[in-house]
Amino acid sequence: MNKIFYVLVLCISFVNAQNQLYEVKGKVIDFHDGKALQNSKVVLQTKDKTTIVHTDSLGVFLIKGNLKGNSKLTVYHDECEPFFITITIPVKKELIIKMEHHVHELEQVNVRTKEYNNLGIKSELDTQTLENYSSKNLGDALNEVSGISSINTGNSIVKPIIHGLHSSRVMVLNQGVRMENQQWGIEHAPSIDINSVEKVSVIKSSNALEYSGDAIGGIVLLESKKFPKKDSLYGKSMVSGNSNGRGILLNSTLTKTFKKGFFIKGQASFNCHGDYHAPDYNLTNTGYLSKGISFESGFHSFKKGISFFYNYVDNEIGILRASHIGNSRDLYQAISERKPLIIEDFSYDINAPKQKIIHHLAKVNLYKRFAKFGKVDFQYDFQMNNRKEYDVRRTSESSTIPALDLELITQTFSANILYDAITDFNAKFGIMYRNQDNYPNPDTGVRRLIPDYKSNQFGSYFITDYKWNSNWKSEFGIRYDYFSIDAEKFYTKSRWEELNYDVKFSNLITKEYSTQYLTNPKLNFNSIASSLGINYTNFNDFSLTLNYNLSQRIPNPAELFSDGLHHSSASIEYGDLEMKKEISNQISFTVEKKFADFSVSLLPYVNFIKDYMYIEPIGIEKNTRGEFLVWNYKQNNALLLGADLDFNYDASFMSWKGNASYIYAQNTDKNEPLISIPPFTINNQLSFKIKKWKNLNAGITSVFVAKQNRFPNTNFSISIIENEEVVERNIDVSSTEKAYHLLGINANKTINFKKSSLNLSFSVENLFNTKYRNYLNRLRYFSDDLGRNFNIQIKYNY
C-alpha cells in the first residue's frame, strides 16, 4: 500500500513539473539615453514553440508559459538593428535590453546629393560616378561637384580647388587619415588610387574642426561602404580602355563578410597610358603608370570594433617634354607661337622630366560604446611618402639620378570622445598629436628645393550641436593647434643678403661656407579655429543654413623654404621665411528647396583672408639646366566671394543635373584680382533611360568654361638675340585663355544574372575634338589640352 502511495506522489510531482509555468520579464531601452522603447517586438523561441509579445509604454515585456531550457530571444524595433540573445529559463532576474535607436545609413547616394554634415553642405559622388573616372584621378572626378574645379600641371597631375582655394587649404581624408604627401606643391597631386575608394564626399563652407582647423577651402572625405553583418562573399572586376593615350585600366576588389561582424577586403589596380594627344599634335612624354593595392580587415558591432587599413600607391608621371626650355629665346617662342617645340611620335616610354611617387598608408582604429554615455575611439596612422623628380640632365650626369628626392614620414595619434546620451544633444571632444620628418636626399647633386625639417603638431577640439525642435538646429565648435618646425637649410650668401636676412635672421646661421650659409630656422605657431552654424528645415523639403567659420593656416614648407628649380612644374620657386599664418573669416548661407521631381540649392559665400599666401611669376632665371619661369611666394590681404548653384530634375524616363559656379577674388592690398582663380563654369548632364531597349541608359554631358577676365598683370620683358641683334620681347604670362565648351556622350547597360551582373559602358569626351587651354593648367604656355577620347569599360559584379 505504501509503495502504491509513493508511486502516485512521484507521478503527480512529475506532471506538475512538466506543467510548471515560468515567466521571462524584461525592459527594452535606448542604448544612448536609457529611454524606454515602446512597441518593440519581442520573439522568444523555445524547443517547442515561438511566442511573440510587444513592449508597453514603459518598454516592459512579459512572457508566461510552460517554458524551460535554452531559448533564443530576439527584439525588433523600427530604426534599430535586431538584438539577439540566448537565455536559460528560468531566468533569475529581469532582462535589460539596450538597443541602438538610429536611422539606418544608406549604402549609396547619387552624385551631388545634398546632406548637412556639421551644418556644412556636403556633396557626394556615388560608386558609379567614381567608376566613370576609374582610369583618371580624384581631381578629375571632383569636377562633378559645384564650386570645385582643379589646378593642373599637364593632364595627369590634378589638384582640387574648392571655392578658389587649393593645396594646403583643402584637406583630403583617406579612410579617416589626413593625407600627408607633400601636398604643398601645385604639382603635387594627392597620392590616391581612385579605384580603392567607394564613396567621396566634399564638405564646403565648413572647417570641420574634428579633423582640422586649417581647411579654409573645405574637406574631401574618401570612404569605404559599410560592411554588412552577414555571411557573404562578393566583389567586382573591371577593365577599361581609352583611345587618348592608348591606355588600359585593370581593377579588382574582393570582400568577405561574416554574420558576427568580421570582415576582410582586398583591392588591386593597374593603370597604364602612353603619350596623350591634343587635337592637332602628340603631347610628348606625358605617359602615366600607376599601381595600387589596398587591404582592410577588422570586426565591427554597435558596441565595439577594431579595423586595420593599408594602402600602397606607386605612380610614375611624365611631364610634357616641351615645358623644359633651354634658353630665353625658346621660352619666348614657345609662349608666343602656342605650339610645343618638341613633338615626337607616340610612345609608352616615360622619360625625364618626370615624377616617381610611392606612398604607404597604414591605420589602426578601435572604438567602444558605453551605455547612457557615448563612444570612445582611438586611432594611430602611419604614412611614408617618397617623391622623386627627374630633370633633363644637360651634363654627363646619369638620367637615372633624380634631381629631387624627398622622403616624408608622418605619424599621427588621435583620441575622441562622443557624448550622445541626451536626446537632440551631442558633444564631442578630441586630442591629436602628429609628428613629421622630411629628409631630402643630398645625393641628387642639386640644390635642395625643400630642406631637412622635423615638425610637431598638437591639437584639441570641442564641438557640440543641439536640435531645438523639429525645425531648428545649431552647432558650435572650437579648436586649438600648436605647431613647431625645426629645419636645416642652406642659403647662398648672395640670396641671403638680397633678402636682407643677414640683418633679420643672422642668429639662424650655424655654419659658414665659401658661398653658402647653413641655417637652423626654428619656428613656432599657435592656431585657433571656431565655427558657428544654424539650420532651419521645414518638412525636409526646404532648408536654410547660416555658417560662420574662423580658420587659421600656418605657412607650409614650400611657402617658407622653397629655393630653386621645381622640376615637375618647370619653374624656379622661392619661399619667404617671414611668412605669417593666414586668418580666414568665412560666412556662407545655403538655401535648398525640393519639389516633387525637382530640387535646387544656392550657396553664396564671402571669405575675408588676412595675409593670404599665393605664388606668381616675376621673370626668368637661367641655370645649368636651362631658363625657367621664376615664381615667388607672396602675402597680401584678400577677399573672395562667390556662389554655387545646383539643380536636379528626376523623372521616370530622364534626369537633368546641373550646376554653376562663380568666384570674385581680389587682392585688397594691391587693389587687383588674385591669380589662378577659376572662371565662371556651367556643367550639365542629361540622362535617359530607354525602356524599349531593355533599360539602356544614355546621356549627354556639357561643360562650359568662360574666359577669366579678372587677373593680375605679371608680364615681364626679356632680352633675346634676333638677326644678330639684342631685342626686348614681352613675355605674356598673365593673359587668360578664351572660353570653351566641351560636349560628351555616354551609354551603359547592365545585364543581370542569377548571382552576378555585367555592366558595359561607352563614352566619348571632347566629342568635337575642340582645341582649348585651361587657364588653371600650369603648362598651358606650352601646349593645348587633351583632344577627343573614346572610353570602353566592362565591369563584372559577383
Side-chain angles (χ1 to χ4, degrees):
M1 186 68 180
N2 290 335
K3 291 182 179 181
I4 296 174
F5 175 77
Y6 287 131
V7 169
L8 290 174
V9 170
L10 289 172
C11 289
I12 294 171
S13 299
F14 176 77
V15 171
N16 287 336
Q18 293 296 309
N19 295 300
Q20 177 71 47
L21 297 179
Y22 291 105
E23 66 178 34
V24 177
K25 186 177 182 181
K27 186 175 184 180
V28 181
I29 61 175
D30 190 312
F31 183 93
H32 298 282
D33 56 18
K35 288 188 176 180
L37 295 182
Q38 183 179 359
N39 203 33
S40 297
K41 180 181 177 181
V42 182
V43 180
L44 181 67
Q45 293 176 290
T46 63
K47 182 179 179 181
D48 301 320
K49 65 176 181 177
T50 298
T51 306
I52 300 176
V53 299
H54 291 80
T55 59
D56 59 20
S57 60
L58 300 178
V60 175
F61 67 88
L62 179 63
I63 301 175
K64 290 183 178 181
N66 183 16
L67 311 170
K68 194 171 183 181
N70 292 333
S71 304
K72 181 180 179 181
L73 185 73
T74 307
V75 183
Y76 302 90
H77 188 273
D78 291 342
E79 301 178 346
C80 291
E81 292 184 357
F83 179 92
F84 305 94
I85 188 175
T86 299
I87 61 175
T88 300
I89 302 174
V91 181
K92 296 181 179 179
K93 60 181 180 180
E94 181 179 283
L95 300 175
I96 302 296
I97 297 171
K98 302 171 183 177
M99 301 189 70
E100 180 192 11
H101 188 237
H102 71 296
V103 178
H104 287 296
E105 296 181 3
L106 294 176
E107 286 292 317
Q108 267 186 254
V109 292
N110 294 322
V111 62
R112 297 187 205 84
T113 294
K114 292 287 188 301
E115 67 177 61
Y116 291 91
N117 182 68
N118 295 334
L119 300 192
I121 194 165
K122 180 178 177 181
S123 301
E124 299 186 341
L125 300 179
D126 63 6
T127 302
Q128 180 60 53
T129 303
L130 295 176
E131 289 175 350
N132 293 340
Y133 291 90
S134 59
S135 57
K136 296 187 178 182
N137 55 56
L138 177 64
D140 291 318
L142 290 174
N143 281 313
E144 292 267 355
V145 180
S146 65
I148 298 185
S149 50
S150 60
I151 191 160
N152 299 17
T153 302
N155 48 275
S156 299
I157 304 174
V158 184
K159 300 194 67 167
I161 302 177
I162 302 179
H163 290 167
L165 303 171
H166 58 82
S167 299
S168 296
R169 301 182 186 95
V170 174
M171 183 172 64
V172 178
L173 278 173
N174 187 6
Q175 309 298 332
V177 178
R178 176 171 180 155
M179 291 297 295
E180 295 290 345
N181 44 197
Q182 301 169 37
Q183 63 272 19
W184 34 264
I186 288 176
E187 52 291 309
H188 295 182
S191 299
I192 300 291
D193 176 9
I194 196 169
N195 296 286
S196 68
V197 180
E198 295 176 310
K199 178 179 173 183
V200 175
S201 307
V202 180
I203 303 176
K204 300 180 292 185
S205 299
S206 173
N207 53 18
L209 300 178
E210 176 182 352
Y211 308 111
S212 168
D214 60 359
I216 298 175
I219 295 178
V220 179
L221 303 174
L222 313 177
E223 303 168 283
S224 296
K225 290 181 182 177
K226 187 176 180 181
F227 293 98
K229 293 177 67 174
K230 62 180 181 179
D231 292 324
S232 179
L233 177 66
Y234 57 93
K236 67 178 179 182
S237 294
M238 182 166 53
V239 59
S240 176
N242 291 278
S243 63
N244 198 333
R246 305 180 194 179
I248 185 170
L249 164 85
L250 302 172
N251 178 65
S252 190
T253 304
L254 186 64
T255 304
K256 171 64 178 173
T257 60
F258 300 87
K259 187 175 181 180
K260 292 185 177 181
F262 293 97
F263 59 88
I264 185 170
K265 173 185 173 184
Q267 175 269 337
S269 67
F270 174 82
N271 192 356
C272 176
H273 285 72
D275 292 338
Y276 291 90
H277 63 79
D280 295 336
Y281 45 78
N282 191 51
L283 299 172
T284 301
N285 198 53
T286 55
Y288 177 77
L289 178 63
S290 177
K291 294 165 281 187
I293 60 172
S294 64
F295 173 82
E296 191 170 2
S297 181
F299 164 81
H300 70 102
S301 68
F302 171 62
K303 292 184 178 181
K304 59 186 176 181
I306 184 170
S307 64
F308 171 78
F309 176 79
Y310 172 75
N311 180 240
Y312 168 84
V313 176
D314 183 343
N315 291 335
E316 188 171 6
I317 306 170
I319 306 297
L320 181 70
R321 178 62 183 86
S323 65
H324 280 232
I325 303 299
N327 55 63
S328 56
R329 179 181 175 82
D330 289 346
L331 178 63
Y332 170 72
Q333 183 180 351
I335 293 178
S336 58
E337 294 187 5
R338 298 180 67 80
K339 186 177 180 179
L341 298 183
I342 301 173
I343 301 177
E344 298 176 356
D345 293 337
F346 173 87
S347 174
Y348 283 102
D349 294 338
I350 301 177
N351 301 310
K354 67 177 182 179
Q355 294 183 3
K356 172 78 172 175
I357 306 106
I358 294 178
H359 191 84
H360 299 268
L361 184 155
K363 177 196 79 169
V364 176
N365 177 274
L366 56 93
Y367 67 88
K368 170 70 175 174
R369 289 186 183 270
F370 299 91
K372 297 184 181 180
F373 178 74
K375 176 183 175 183
V376 177
D377 70 82
F378 302 92
Q379 179 170 301
Y380 168 78
D381 55 75
F382 172 89
Q383 297 178 75
M384 183 173 70
N385 183 270
N386 180 236
R387 166 176 291 273
K388 295 179 180 178
E389 298 183 3
Y390 295 81
D391 190 18
V392 178
R393 299 281 187 171
R394 305 186 186 277
T395 66
S396 59
E397 298 168 290
S398 171
S399 60
T400 61
I401 300 175
L404 178 72
D405 186 352
L406 299 175
E407 183 179 85
L408 178 67
I409 294 178
T410 305
Q411 299 182 77
T412 306
F413 173 81
S414 62
N416 303 281
I417 299 173
L418 170 66
Y419 176 78
D420 59 1
I422 301 176
T423 304
D424 299 330
F425 174 81
N426 291 318
K428 195 167 187 179
F429 169 78
I431 58 173
M432 180 274 296
Y433 170 73
R434 178 174 293 121
N435 172 268
Q436 285 191 329
D437 189 348
N438 184 69
Y439 173 72
N441 190 341
D443 295 335
T444 61
V446 178
R447 174 180 294 277
R448 289 173 249 187
L449 177 69
I450 300 296
D452 295 84
Y453 72 84
K454 290 181 172 62
S455 70
N456 291 282
Q457 178 186 355
F458 171 80
S460 62
Y461 72 89
F462 174 78
I463 54 177
T464 181
D465 64 78
Y466 181 67
K467 188 173 182 180
W468 298 89
N469 52 43
S470 59
N471 302 117
W472 290 93
K473 179 182 178 181
S474 64
E475 179 194 81
F476 170 76
I478 189 167
R479 181 182 178 102
Y480 169 78
D481 287 278
Y482 169 80
F483 302 85
S484 68
I485 301 174
D486 187 348
E488 287 190 340
K489 174 171 174 55
F490 284 96
Y491 284 92
T492 61
K493 289 184 176 180
S494 58
R495 177 155 177 79
W496 184 263
E497 293 166 1
E498 176 188 345
L499 296 172
N500 205 27
Y501 285 176
D502 54 332
V503 176
K504 299 176 181 177
F505 301 113
S506 60
N507 61 311
L508 299 183
I509 299 173
T510 60
K511 197 167 185 178
E512 181 177 356
Y513 297 86
S514 58
T515 61
Q516 299 183 98
Y517 291 121
L518 176 60
T519 65
N520 181 209
K522 293 183 179 181
L523 307 173
N524 299 301
F525 296 92
N526 294 283
S527 171
I528 295 178
S530 64
S531 65
L532 177 64
I534 300 174
N535 170 249
Y536 171 80
T537 302
N538 183 18
F539 302 112
N540 294 319
D541 61 3
F542 179 73
S543 179
L544 295 172
T545 303
L546 177 65
N547 271 307
Y548 165 75
N549 295 305
L550 166 68
S551 304
Q552 298 184 356
R553 183 181 74 87
I554 72 167
N556 63 43
E559 292 158 339
L560 289 167
F561 304 123
S562 286
D563 186 16
L565 179 60
H566 202 166
H567 306 272
S568 58
S569 63
S571 63
I572 294 172
E573 299 176 3
Y574 290 119
D576 188 344
L577 270 178
E578 295 186 276
M579 285 287 183
K580 307 171 186 175
K581 64 183 178 183
E582 282 181 348
I583 302 176
S584 164
N585 287 275
Q586 182 175 199
I587 300 173
S588 63
F589 181 75
T590 307
V591 56
E592 182 176 21
K593 175 64 178 176
K594 296 180 181 179
F595 302 92
D597 299 321
F598 182 76
S599 65
V600 61
S601 68
L602 178 66
L603 170 61
Y605 59 89
V606 59
N607 196 350
F608 302 91
I609 304 180
K610 181 182 179 182
D611 296 321
Y612 172 81
M613 290 172 267
Y614 61 100
I615 188 171
E616 67 177 14
I618 61 169
I620 64 170
E621 187 174 305
K622 184 176 182 179
N623 60 27
T624 58
R625 288 169 171 77
E627 294 194 56
F628 300 91
L629 284 173
V630 178
W631 294 70
N632 261 17
Y633 282 99
K634 299 182 178 181
Q635 196 162 36
N636 289 111
N637 295 329
L639 167 67
L640 292 87
L641 57 89
D644 301 335
L645 175 67
D646 284 85
F647 41 90
N648 183 13
Y649 174 75
D650 196 355
S652 58
F653 66 97
M654 64 88 69
S655 65
W656 171 36
K657 297 174 182 178
N659 63 62
S661 301
Y662 175 75
I663 304 173
Y664 172 94
Q666 185 79 352
N667 184 325
T668 56
D669 287 341
K670 294 185 175 181
N671 195 28
E672 66 180 18
L674 289 177
I675 194 172
S676 300
I677 297 299
F680 175 65
T681 304
I682 301 177
N683 291 283
N684 282 284
Q685 179 178 327
L686 274 173
S687 300
F688 303 91
K689 190 171 185 178
I690 307 173
K691 293 184 178 180
K692 65 179 181 180
W693 291 355
K694 296 184 178 180
N695 291 328
L696 173 71
N697 296 304
I700 302 172
T701 60
S702 165
V703 178
F704 172 76
V705 179
K707 177 181 174 63
Q708 177 58 276
N709 294 311
R710 304 190 74 257
F711 55 90
N713 184 355
T714 56
N715 296 341
F716 54 88
S717 297
I718 62 171
S719 298
I720 62 174
I721 298 177
E722 290 184 356
N723 300 322
E724 300 182 353
E725 293 184 4
V726 178
V727 296
E728 292 289 319
R729 294 300 184 195
N730 182 59
I731 302 294
D732 185 359
V733 293
S734 303
S735 297
T736 59
E737 306 299 330
K738 62 181 181 181
Y740 58 89
H741 184 206
L742 305 179
L743 290 175
I745 58 173
N746 60 79
N748 74 83
K749 178 171 178 57
T750 299
I751 304 172
N752 293 311
F753 304 105
K754 186 175 181 180
K755 293 184 178 181
S756 60
S757 66
L758 182 68
N759 179 268
L760 308 173
S761 66
F762 170 77
S763 65
V764 183
E765 300 165 288
N766 194 358
L767 180 64
F768 297 110
N769 209 28
T770 302
K771 287 178 60 176
Y772 72 99
R773 294 196 181 193
N774 179 1
Y775 165 60
L776 296 175
N777 190 335
R778 288 283 293 271
L779 302 186
R780 67 184 175 90
Y781 306 111
F782 308 106
S783 73
D784 292 333
D785 271 275
L786 298 186
R788 184 187 296 115
N789 178 51
F790 295 90
N791 173 269
I792 297 176
Q793 184 183 97
I794 302 173
K795 181 182 66 171
Y796 181 58
N797 292 303
Y798 45 89

